[in-house]
Amino acid sequence: MAAGDIETFQRDGIWFNRIEGEARTLGTSFTSKAEAVKVGRGAAAARQVQHTVRTEEGPSEDANVYDRHPRELMGE
């Protein structure tokens, strides 16, 4: 992930979104993964950046990347 991309993650059973490279979360917390993903995906689309979902906070091999970033589409 690059700085500025949106990440949806879980901490102690509560879901959050944040901008990659920033410590604070973006907006409110969510009890539902689906709602957090929906808001995170919308924020990523508005900023035209990549959106990633992790089951836990921090580095994880189970991250799912959603929506390709415009920088990845160049040259296609």
Side-chain angles (χ1 to χ4, degrees):
M1 282 182 60
D5 288 348
I6 302 294
E7 176 182 38
T8 300
F9 66 96
Q10 179 184 194
R11 181 188 306 149
D12 299 325
I14 300 172
W15 289 88
F16 301 91
N17 290 299
R18 70 174 160 215
I19 299 172
E20 181 68 23
E22 295 186 13
R24 64 182 177 86
T25 59
L26 180 65
T28 185
S29 62
F30 303 89
T31 56
S32 161
K33 176 183 178 181
E35 188 64 24
V37 168
K38 179 180 173 183
V39 171
R41 189 174 291 163
R47 290 177 168 81
Q48 297 184 348
V49 297
Q50 184 172 293
H51 177 229
T52 302
V53 178
R54 300 185 183 279
T55 57
E56 296 181 10
E57 183 176 21
S60 174
E61 291 183 17
D62 63 347
N64 294 312
V65 177
Y66 295 90
D67 302 328
R68 294 176 64 192
H69 187 281
R71 68 177 169 253
E72 295 174 356
L73 301 175
M74 293 174 62
E76 285 190 3

